[in-house]
Every structure is written in C-alpha cells, then in structure tokens.
Amino acid sequence: MTKPIYSYLQAELEKRFKVLKLWEAQDGSRFLEDHNQIIRAVVSDGGTGLSPELMAALPKLEIVSSFSVGMDKIDLGKCKEKGIRVSNTPDVLTDDVADLAIGLTLAVLRKLPASDRYVRSGMWKKALYCEMLLYFQFSGKSVGIVGLGRIGQAIATRAEGFGCKISYHSRTPKPESSNYTYYPSVVDLAAHSDILVVACALTNETRHIINREVIDALGPRGVLVNIARGATVDEPELVSALVEGRLGGAGLDVFENEPNVPEQLIELDEKVVLAPHAGSGTEETRKGMADLVVGNLVAHFEGKELLTPVV
Ligand SMILES: O=CC(=O)O
C-alpha cells in the first residue's frame, strides 16, 4: 500500500495478503530495494496513483488495484506495455459523487455555509432581515455538464428532478441522451448554462478545459461546480474571476494542488463552498470501493477475470 487509505480496506487486505506499508518506511527507496522481489501488487488511490519511480522500482509488479475511479495518476500506456494489470472502482461511487455535485450547487446558490455561520454567530438575533444571504434559485436553472459519463449522467438525472434544463459537452454527442442539448464547444455550453458542472476524467485533452474564456462565458451570475479533478480548471483564472466578480460562485471538491487550496478561495467564504475531495466519502460507498479493490486482487491471483479492469 502506498498510503493509509481506509482502515477497513487495510484490514481486508491483511486477511488475505502480506501487506507492506510504504508510508511507514523511514527510507522509501531502501524499503523498495529490500522488497522489490516480493511486491506483486500495489494498492493506491486516485490522488497518489502509481508514480513512474514506483513502477520502475518494482520489477515483479503484476497489478495495481486503485481505490478510485480516476486513473490520471497512473500511466496506463506504460502499464499495458509492461503487462501490468490495472483496476479501479467505478459505479459504486457514482451516486455519491453526483449527490455531492448537487449538494455543492445548492450550498453555493443558497449560501448554506454562510447561513449556518449567521445563525451560530448570533447575527440573526441582531438583524431583522438579512439581504446578504439572498442569492440565486436552483430549481429550473440551466445546468451544463462537462463530461456525460456515468457520473455526469447521474448529475443530469438529479438536476432534472429540480426542473433544470440539461446541456452537456463531451467528445461526441450521446445518442441515448437526445433529450439533453449537446454543445461541441465548452465555451458555448458555459454561455448557455447558469451552473456548469465538471464531471469528466482528467486527460491531456481536458487539462484546463475550464479556462478564462469558459469562465467569462459562464459570467457573473454563473456558478462553477467541480467534482472531477482540480486540473480540469485553470485555478488561477478561477480565483481571479471570483475575486473580480466575473464569476458568481464556485462549489469545489477538487483542487489543482491538493491538499493546498489557494488562500483567496478560503477568504471568499460567501460565494465559494469547499470540500476536501470527498465525492465518494460515505461509509457505504467507501466499503463498496474497498471490496472492489480486494476483489480485483483476489481475482487476479486466482487467475480469474478482473471485476473492474482498466488495463
Ligand atoms: O477522486 C476519486 C476517484 O477517482 O475515485
């Protein structure tokens, strides 16, 4: 294991395998040299993945079982070339991530964290009426989704329940989603959206797909929600748009350089709501993810088909 991911996962792994804990080693390179002939599997997560150094240090590596759906920190091409299998944890987390996207949207539009502070601080008792807390309605708004995969689709279904009009951008239109409007350009999607939700995988094509032009098209009454990966957004551009009032608000579960969050975002506590990359963070889902991580390893070492193969 590259890091302490989740105690249940670790316990389940320890029931079946000899688990070596890289994070406990005083000297990581020395530890890998000492164990490089016996390490056949790596368990990691979306934030850590498999570094090129770790891959190079493990000549007997057969499989990487990732506690994540995102695979952007693993060089899949290189794994394929070297015959290393890779698995992830799709589907089990779709509902939770989509729920958080809606939660962040409502939290920004209805200023929920600021409302909570207003009550707790006793300010409510001092003012008869507080216009500062008025913001925008969610029901009936136009929601644009960047990436209509499993999670994007689940967000669309939820937003439909709020009477929202759904549009999306993806590499190609999805014939099965003909009731949603497709925009080949993200700028056009943003221009036609009140809320823009990023739900695509991070790839070379989607890095900084949300740039200044997209943010300006979303505009001063628009809200950006990101539950995908921080690097899909040009973060300095996002920060300056929020500071200058060119963007209405943002609900962010992911950041370019986690766990570091730009100080200005922290100060913008009226119209920005932040979460610590917790899209899949419920007991039910994390257990489902752990069971998949273990299940993929068991299948591999029993010579069976992987449950959720990527490579
Ligand atoms: O970010 C979390 C994941 O990729 O599962």
Side-chain angles (χ1 to χ4, degrees):
M1 285 182 88
T2 54
K3 64 199 274 197
I5 296 172
Y6 179 35
S7 51
Y8 168 81
L9 170 64
Q10 197 168 314
E12 290 300 302
L13 288 169
E14 279 168 346
K15 280 185 202 161
R16 297 165 177 84
F17 304 101
K18 177 171 169 57
V19 179
L20 299 170
K21 299 165 194 132
L22 185 54
W23 71 94
E24 284 182 355
Q26 296 262 331
D27 178 341
S29 330
R30 178 75 196 274
F31 178 85
L32 291 173
E33 267 170 42
D34 290 347
H35 297 97
N36 69 7
Q37 295 304 308
I38 61 162
I39 298 176
R40 297 168 65 196
V42 165
V43 171
S44 194
D45 70 359
T48 299
L50 180 75
S51 67
E53 296 75 32
L54 186 55
M55 194 190 298
L58 299 176
K60 305 280 186 213
L61 184 61
E62 295 171 28
I63 178 167
V64 185
S65 187
S66 186
F67 186 81
S68 70
V69 69
M71 295 277 92
D72 47 283
K73 291 269 172 68
I74 301 177
D75 185 338
L76 299 177
K78 206 41 179 270
C79 285
K80 199 166 186 174
E81 205 180 287
K82 295 183 102 178
I84 300 169
R85 303 298 312 271
V86 181
S87 64
N88 67 346
T89 59
D91 300 318
V92 288
L93 46 64
T94 301
D95 284 339
D96 273 357
V97 179
D99 288 353
L100 188 67
I102 300 296
L104 285 170
T105 306
L106 285 168
V108 174
L109 290 174
R110 304 304 304 271
K111 295 195 174 174
L112 295 181
S115 294
D116 180 86
R117 284 193 296 278
Y118 185 73
V119 176
R120 286 174 200 277
S121 65
M123 275 173 68
W124 192 23
K125 287 193 200 141
K126 295 186 196 132
L128 277 179
Y129 179 68
C130 177
E131 286 205 20
M132 160 204 117
L133 289 176
L134 300 187
Y135 216 40
F136 303 126
Q137 186 172 38
F138 179 43
S139 291
K141 285 285 154 66
S142 294
V143 174
I145 300 174
V146 180
L148 202 67
R150 286 172 285 225
I151 294 173
Q153 178 61 60
I155 295 167
T157 307
R158 282 157 176 72
E160 277 186 285
F162 286 84
C164 295
K165 179 180 175 310
I166 312 296
S167 309
Y168 71 100
H169 166 82
S170 56
R171 269 170 303 184
T172 50
K174 313 256 174 201
E176 67 281 11
S177 303
S178 54
N179 47 334
Y180 306 151
T181 309
Y182 174 69
Y183 286 96
S185 137
V186 190
V187 176
D188 288 345
L189 175 69
H192 290 90
S193 301
D194 301 304
I195 297 124
L196 188 68
V197 186
V198 190
C200 58
L202 177 63
T203 61
N204 288 338
E205 290 76 45
T206 63
R207 188 171 298 277
H208 288 192
I209 192 169
I210 309 300
N211 55 21
R212 185 181 178 110
E213 208 188 340
V214 173
I215 292 169
D216 284 343
L218 193 54
R221 289 174 70 90
V223 170
L224 181 75
V225 172
N226 190 1
I227 45 76
R229 285 290 184 267
T232 56
V233 177
D234 185 333
E235 204 167 71
E237 286 293 351
L238 171 66
V239 169
S240 58
L242 287 163
V243 170
E244 291 161 21
R246 285 184 286 112
L247 182 66
L252 306 170
D253 184 42
V254 289
F255 305 88
E256 272 209 273
N257 183 25
E258 294 171 10
N260 301 302
V261 175
E263 200 51 45
Q264 286 145 306
L265 286 182
I266 289 171
E267 283 161 16
L268 285 165
D269 66 351
E270 277 285 306
K271 50 187 179 182
V272 174
V273 178
L274 308 171
H277 198 145
S280 63
T282 66
E283 285 187 14
E284 295 91 333
T285 288
R286 290 281 163 91
K287 180 173 179 301
M289 292 167 71
D291 289 341
L292 269 181
V293 167
V294 176
N296 276 302
L297 290 176
V298 169
H300 173 76
F301 289 111
E302 285 180 354
K304 296 186 182 144
E305 275 298 300
L306 298 188
L307 308 179
T308 47
V310 179
V311 170

PDB file of all heavy atoms in Angstrom, residues 46 67-71 89 93 228-229 277 280 289, ligand 1:
ATOM      1  N   GLY A  46      -6.661   7.527  -5.991  1.00  0.00           N
ATOM      2  CA  GLY A  46      -6.659   8.437  -7.130  1.00  0.00           C
ATOM      3  C   GLY A  46      -5.659   9.570  -6.983  1.00  0.00           C
ATOM      4  O   GLY A  46      -5.096  10.046  -7.968  1.00  0.00           O
ATOM      5  N   PHE A  67      -7.983   2.450  -5.490  1.00  0.00           N
ATOM      6  CA  PHE A  67      -9.176   2.819  -4.709  1.00  0.00           C
ATOM      7  C   PHE A  67      -9.693   4.150  -5.265  1.00  0.00           C
ATOM      8  O   PHE A  67      -9.649   5.183  -4.614  1.00  0.00           O
ATOM      9  CB  PHE A  67      -8.732   2.950  -3.244  1.00  0.00           C
ATOM     10  CG  PHE A  67      -9.820   3.183  -2.233  1.00  0.00           C
ATOM     11  CD1 PHE A  67     -10.589   2.140  -1.754  1.00  0.00           C
ATOM     12  CD2 PHE A  67     -10.034   4.446  -1.706  1.00  0.00           C
ATOM     13  CE1 PHE A  67     -11.566   2.355  -0.785  1.00  0.00           C
ATOM     14  CE2 PHE A  67     -11.013   4.674  -0.733  1.00  0.00           C
ATOM     15  CZ  PHE A  67     -11.777   3.624  -0.280  1.00  0.00           C
ATOM     16  N   SER A  68     -10.121   4.125  -6.512  1.00  0.00           N
ATOM     17  CA  SER A  68     -10.592   5.358  -7.172  1.00  0.00           C
ATOM     18  C   SER A  68     -11.207   4.971  -8.508  1.00  0.00           C
ATOM     19  O   SER A  68     -10.899   3.909  -9.050  1.00  0.00           O
ATOM     20  CB  SER A  68      -9.425   6.311  -7.441  1.00  0.00           C
ATOM     21  OG  SER A  68      -8.585   5.791  -8.459  1.00  0.00           O
ATOM     22  N   VAL A  69     -12.022   5.868  -9.028  1.00  0.00           N
ATOM     23  CA  VAL A  69     -12.458   5.652 -10.413  1.00  0.00           C
ATOM     24  C   VAL A  69     -11.485   6.369 -11.348  1.00  0.00           C
ATOM     25  O   VAL A  69     -11.225   5.915 -12.456  1.00  0.00           O
ATOM     26  CB  VAL A  69     -13.926   6.124 -10.626  1.00  0.00           C
ATOM     27  CG1 VAL A  69     -14.072   7.631 -10.533  1.00  0.00           C
ATOM     28  CG2 VAL A  69     -14.459   5.630 -11.942  1.00  0.00           C
ATOM     29  N   GLY A  70     -10.899   7.491 -10.879  1.00  0.00           N
ATOM     30  CA  GLY A  70      -9.979   8.283 -11.709  1.00  0.00           C
ATOM     31  C   GLY A  70      -8.633   7.587 -11.830  1.00  0.00           C
ATOM     32  O   GLY A  70      -8.102   7.042 -10.869  1.00  0.00           O
ATOM     33  N   MET A  71      -8.077   7.623 -13.033  1.00  0.00           N
ATOM     34  CA  MET A  71      -6.837   6.907 -13.315  1.00  0.00           C
ATOM     35  C   MET A  71      -5.736   7.843 -13.796  1.00  0.00           C
ATOM     36  O   MET A  71      -4.773   7.413 -14.417  1.00  0.00           O
ATOM     37  CB  MET A  71      -7.111   5.874 -14.436  1.00  0.00           C
ATOM     38  CG  MET A  71      -8.071   4.782 -14.079  1.00  0.00           C
ATOM     39  SD  MET A  71      -7.235   3.444 -13.194  1.00  0.00           S
ATOM     40  CE  MET A  71      -7.441   3.923 -11.549  1.00  0.00           C
ATOM     41  N   THR A  89     -12.392   1.533  -9.321  1.00  0.00           N
ATOM     42  CA  THR A  89     -13.646   1.288  -8.570  1.00  0.00           C
ATOM     43  C   THR A  89     -14.808   2.115  -9.140  1.00  0.00           C
ATOM     44  O   THR A  89     -15.305   3.030  -8.484  1.00  0.00           O
ATOM     45  CB  THR A  89     -13.469   1.627  -7.077  1.00  0.00           C
ATOM     46  OG1 THR A  89     -13.097   3.011  -6.967  1.00  0.00           O
ATOM     47  CG2 THR A  89     -12.406   0.786  -6.416  1.00  0.00           C
ATOM     48  N   LEU A  93     -19.381   4.388  -6.746  1.00  0.00           N
ATOM     49  CA  LEU A  93     -19.301   5.756  -6.209  1.00  0.00           C
ATOM     50  C   LEU A  93     -20.122   6.780  -6.990  1.00  0.00           C
ATOM     51  O   LEU A  93     -20.221   7.953  -6.604  1.00  0.00           O
ATOM     52  CB  LEU A  93     -17.832   6.213  -6.103  1.00  0.00           C
ATOM     53  CG  LEU A  93     -16.902   5.958  -7.285  1.00  0.00           C
ATOM     54  CD1 LEU A  93     -17.301   6.705  -8.512  1.00  0.00           C
ATOM     55  CD2 LEU A  93     -15.470   6.275  -6.898  1.00  0.00           C
ATOM     56  N   ALA A 228     -14.642  16.679 -10.334  1.00  0.00           N
ATOM     57  CA  ALA A 228     -13.841  15.773 -11.171  1.00  0.00           C
ATOM     58  C   ALA A 228     -12.382  15.742 -10.701  1.00  0.00           C
ATOM     59  O   ALA A 228     -12.029  14.987  -9.798  1.00  0.00           O
ATOM     60  CB  ALA A 228     -13.963  16.209 -12.621  1.00  0.00           C
ATOM     61  N   ARG A 229     -11.558  16.586 -11.297  1.00  0.00           N
ATOM     62  CA  ARG A 229     -10.166  16.750 -10.883  1.00  0.00           C
ATOM     63  C   ARG A 229      -9.831  18.236 -10.948  1.00  0.00           C
ATOM     64  O   ARG A 229     -10.271  18.932 -11.871  1.00  0.00           O
ATOM     65  CB  ARG A 229      -9.223  15.987 -11.829  1.00  0.00           C
ATOM     66  CG  ARG A 229      -9.208  14.490 -11.636  1.00  0.00           C
ATOM     67  CD  ARG A 229      -8.535  14.080 -10.324  1.00  0.00           C
ATOM     68  NE  ARG A 229      -8.435  12.643 -10.167  1.00  0.00           N
ATOM     69  CZ  ARG A 229      -9.328  11.872  -9.535  1.00  0.00           C
ATOM     70  NH1 ARG A 229     -10.411  12.410  -9.006  1.00  0.00           N
ATOM     71  NH2 ARG A 229      -9.132  10.574  -9.419  1.00  0.00           N
ATOM     72  N   HIS A 277     -12.054  16.909  -1.331  1.00  0.00           N
ATOM     73  CA  HIS A 277     -12.038  15.767  -2.269  1.00  0.00           C
ATOM     74  C   HIS A 277     -12.759  14.568  -1.623  1.00  0.00           C
ATOM     75  O   HIS A 277     -12.150  13.534  -1.363  1.00  0.00           O
ATOM     76  CB  HIS A 277     -10.597  15.388  -2.661  1.00  0.00           C
ATOM     77  CG  HIS A 277     -10.548  14.552  -3.909  1.00  0.00           C
ATOM     78  ND1 HIS A 277      -9.536  14.642  -4.828  1.00  0.00           N
ATOM     79  CD2 HIS A 277     -11.401  13.606  -4.392  1.00  0.00           C
ATOM     80  CE1 HIS A 277      -9.749  13.789  -5.818  1.00  0.00           C
ATOM     81  NE2 HIS A 277     -10.890  13.148  -5.567  1.00  0.00           N
ATOM     82  N   SER A 280     -16.740  10.587  -2.924  1.00  0.00           N
ATOM     83  CA  SER A 280     -17.170   9.211  -2.626  1.00  0.00           C
ATOM     84  C   SER A 280     -17.214   8.955  -1.118  1.00  0.00           C
ATOM     85  O   SER A 280     -17.297   7.803  -0.687  1.00  0.00           O
ATOM     86  CB  SER A 280     -16.203   8.221  -3.282  1.00  0.00           C
ATOM     87  OG  SER A 280     -14.898   8.385  -2.731  1.00  0.00           O
ATOM     88  N   MET A 289     -16.060   0.418  -2.486  1.00  0.00           N
ATOM     89  CA  MET A 289     -14.793   0.614  -3.208  1.00  0.00           C
ATOM     90  C   MET A 289     -13.726  -0.343  -2.675  1.00  0.00           C
ATOM     91  O   MET A 289     -12.989  -0.963  -3.442  1.00  0.00           O
ATOM     92  CB  MET A 289     -14.314   2.065  -3.038  1.00  0.00           C
ATOM     93  CG  MET A 289     -15.206   3.083  -3.733  1.00  0.00           C
ATOM     94  SD  MET A 289     -14.831   4.775  -3.213  1.00  0.00           S
ATOM     95  CE  MET A 289     -13.232   5.053  -3.980  1.00  0.00           C
TER      96      MET A 289
HETATM   97  O1  LIG B   1     -11.448  11.064  -6.920  1.00  0.00           O
HETATM   98  C1  LIG B   1     -11.825   9.977  -6.631  1.00  0.00           C
HETATM   99  C2  LIG B   1     -11.834   8.881  -7.540  1.00  0.00           C
HETATM  100  O2  LIG B   1     -11.228   8.970  -8.614  1.00  0.00           O
HETATM  101  O3  LIG B   1     -12.447   7.859  -7.208  1.00  0.00           O
END
